[in-house]
Amino acid sequence: MNAAGIIFSNLHGRHIPELTRMRTMASVPFACRYRLIDFALSNMVNSGITNISVITHNNYRSLMDHIGSGKDWDMARRSGGIKLLPPYITANSTPMANALYSSRLEALKSISQSISELKEDYVVLSDCDVICNIDLADVLRDHIAHNADMTMVVKRLPVITAEEKSRVIFEADSDGRILDCEVRPQPGLREQNVGLNIWVITRTYLQSVVQDSIAHGYTSFNHDIVAKNASRRNFRVYRFDGPYGDMSSLAGYFKESMALLNNHASWDALFNVEQRPVLTHVRNSPPTKYAASARVRNCMIADGCRIEGKVENCIIFRGVRVSPNAVVKNSILFEDAYIGADADLNCVIADKSVVIRERVRLSGHPALPFYIDKSTML
């Protein structure tokens, strides 16, 4: 595939501040053993993209640990591979410049030198929180067939909640050509072309966009590039029909995670697609041990755990310990969490290395899960 990839690791982190206070959005754990960036990376690698850049912002140490050399994605290469691009700050940066970027276009401007050195004919841009399994090679073929300047991947969805107002709606004609875009749309029941934050863009056009934005001080990709140029450039939509996860809030993260337990069709369309596996960093951990007292129902449990209590409708990451007589329902336990004896949890998200002592009772609600910060003891 004659394309390079660029992944934005920090955009939309403000939507889930609880999970991104100490990590990038790209590093947020998902589905028992994955990180959010695994989906964007896997989509690109499975489509033959071998030159991928990840734009960082802050809190990206865990992201560096997760990606490593890129060997888990077969990207430990002499030429190309995965590169983490740190924030670009010049020696003459002012305190205002040190605030770094806050939008997609500003992020692209911060790596303008790297973009100018790209040799591939096309570039795939993707946010890191895109939970879908998509054939980007097919998107590229559609882009080339229509001689497009830029192709946005969209999904026909209604915007029905205030949280979803962060989405972007693209108005397109019957042939798929974009006429206009709407940022922060008003909620309604009518299905619209909702952007999935995946683009294919011709490399020469991307380079001209970045240089023009630097010259004119443009900051918004959708306002300053898409909306202003839709009438005179060939911008198109590519409609994606597969499952897609929305991470617009902590409740949205909880909903999408819990859906994996109950919707087997969505699970298969995400993780069991032939020739398009979701790849992640592999660790050598012992199998999970289930004691005679353990009672497990409808759960996803990673390796390296010890289960001695009752768990039901839960997603449990590596190294978790659930003590005897503890009851954990409808919850997500991140790596190395410890649940004490006789504890009772419902609708809880426990971050890494959380310790819940004996007889503690905590309960949230699917619309407002109870979140416990990293390394907290309760």
Side-chain angles (χ1 to χ4, degrees):
M1 187 175 181
N2 185 22
I6 295 177
I7 298 175
F8 304 92
S9 70
N10 285 81
L11 294 180
H12 307 142
R14 65 187 182 278
H15 295 166
I16 318 180
E18 300 89 346
L19 298 179
T20 57
R21 186 176 67 85
M22 299 293 291
R23 58 170 69 90
T24 67
M25 182 66 116
S27 299
V28 171
F30 186 76
C32 215
R33 61 191 293 260
Y34 301 93
R35 303 293 183 107
L36 291 186
I37 195 173
D38 291 335
F39 298 91
L41 275 178
S42 298
N43 287 334
M44 292 183 180
V45 171
N46 292 335
S47 300
I49 298 176
T50 58
N51 180 16
I52 301 174
S53 300
V54 181
I55 307 178
T56 61
H57 189 296
N58 57 2
N59 291 335
Y60 53 89
R61 185 185 65 82
S62 63
L63 179 62
M64 295 173 62
D65 292 341
H66 180 69
I67 293 178
S69 66
K71 66 181 180 63
D72 292 296
W73 295 267
D74 191 27
M75 294 289 281
R77 300 165 180 258
R78 291 184 177 180
S79 177
I82 302 175
K83 299 181 291 292
L84 267 67
L85 303 180
Y88 176 67
I89 303 177
T90 66
N92 298 319
S93 291
T94 63
M96 182 62 69
N98 287 337
L100 304 179
Y101 61 82
S102 59
S103 70
R104 184 171 294 103
L105 187 55
E106 289 177 339
L108 291 172
K109 288 159 61 178
S110 76
I111 62 162
S112 59
Q113 183 64 36
S114 296
I115 292 175
S116 69
E117 295 172 354
L118 292 175
K119 304 301 181 184
E120 292 81 0
D121 292 333
Y122 305 96
V123 181
V124 177
L125 309 177
S126 176
D127 287 1
C128 65
D129 55 339
V130 181
I131 306 299
C132 67
N133 192 325
I134 184 172
D135 184 1
L136 292 175
D138 190 58
V139 183
L140 181 62
R141 286 191 290 269
D142 182 82
H143 177 87
I144 296 172
H146 292 94
N147 194 29
D149 296 304
M150 184 158 49
T151 299
M152 288 77 165
V153 178
V154 301
K155 186 174 177 64
R156 297 289 292 175
L157 294 169
V159 178
I160 57 177
T161 68
E163 291 175 345
E164 294 171 334
K165 289 180 67 175
S166 61
R167 291 174 166 173
V168 179
I169 304 301
F170 294 97
E171 179 185 349
D173 60 20
S174 58
D175 189 45
R177 182 161 183 164
I178 293 176
L179 305 176
D180 198 3
C181 71
E182 180 182 357
V183 181
R184 298 183 179 87
Q186 293 300 315
L189 297 177
R190 181 173 64 90
E191 287 192 346
Q192 304 180 74
N193 294 317
V194 177
L196 302 192
N197 297 325
I198 301 175
W199 299 262
V200 173
I201 183 169
T202 303
R203 186 254 304 168
T204 53
Y205 181 60
L206 175 62
Q207 291 171 339
S208 67
V209 163
V210 171
Q211 293 305 315
D212 194 44
S213 299
I214 293 172
H216 294 88
Y218 296 153
T219 58
S220 172
F221 193 83
N222 291 304
H223 280 300
D224 296 323
I225 305 302
V226 180
K228 290 183 179 180
N229 295 283
S231 61
R232 57 192 184 89
R233 304 294 307 208
N234 187 10
F235 296 162
R236 303 187 59 81
V237 296
Y238 175 95
R239 293 185 174 92
F240 173 68
D241 296 325
Y244 166 72
D246 176 45
M247 300 290 153
S248 58
S249 66
L250 184 67
Y253 171 84
F254 185 81
K255 177 183 176 183
E256 297 296 341
S257 297
M258 291 294 105
L260 297 175
L261 297 173
N262 304 309
N263 191 333
H264 297 294
S266 294
W267 171 271
D268 289 339
L270 194 60
F271 293 103
N272 291 332
V273 181
E274 188 175 358
Q275 304 298 323
R276 299 210 307 269
V278 179
L279 307 170
T280 189
H281 176 56
V282 177
R283 296 185 182 181
N284 296 321
S285 301
T288 289
K289 181 175 182 179
Y290 298 90
S293 59
R295 298 293 182 268
V296 180
R297 179 175 177 271
N298 194 36
C299 293
M300 295 168 53
I301 301 178
D303 48 10
C305 299
R306 182 178 178 87
I307 309 299
E308 299 176 284
K310 180 179 179 180
V311 290
E312 181 176 335
N313 297 324
C314 291
I315 296 176
I316 298 179
F317 288 77
R318 296 181 178 93
V320 170
R321 168 81 181 272
V322 179
S323 299
N325 299 319
V327 178
V328 185
K329 296 182 178 180
N330 310 308
S331 296
I332 303 173
L333 306 181
F334 285 4
E335 189 173 335
D336 295 328
Y338 173 84
I339 312 301
D342 297 301
D344 193 329
L345 308 183
N346 180 52
C347 291
V348 169
I349 301 176
D351 212 316
K352 283 186 65 174
S353 302
V354 162
V355 175
I356 306 297
R357 290 178 288 190
E358 292 97 351
R359 295 182 294 280
V360 171
R361 280 160 173 72
L362 301 172
S363 181
H365 186 273
L368 190 64
F370 190 101
Y371 172 74
I372 307 171
D373 205 355
K374 183 178 179 180
S375 301
T376 298
M377 177 179 290
L378 292 177

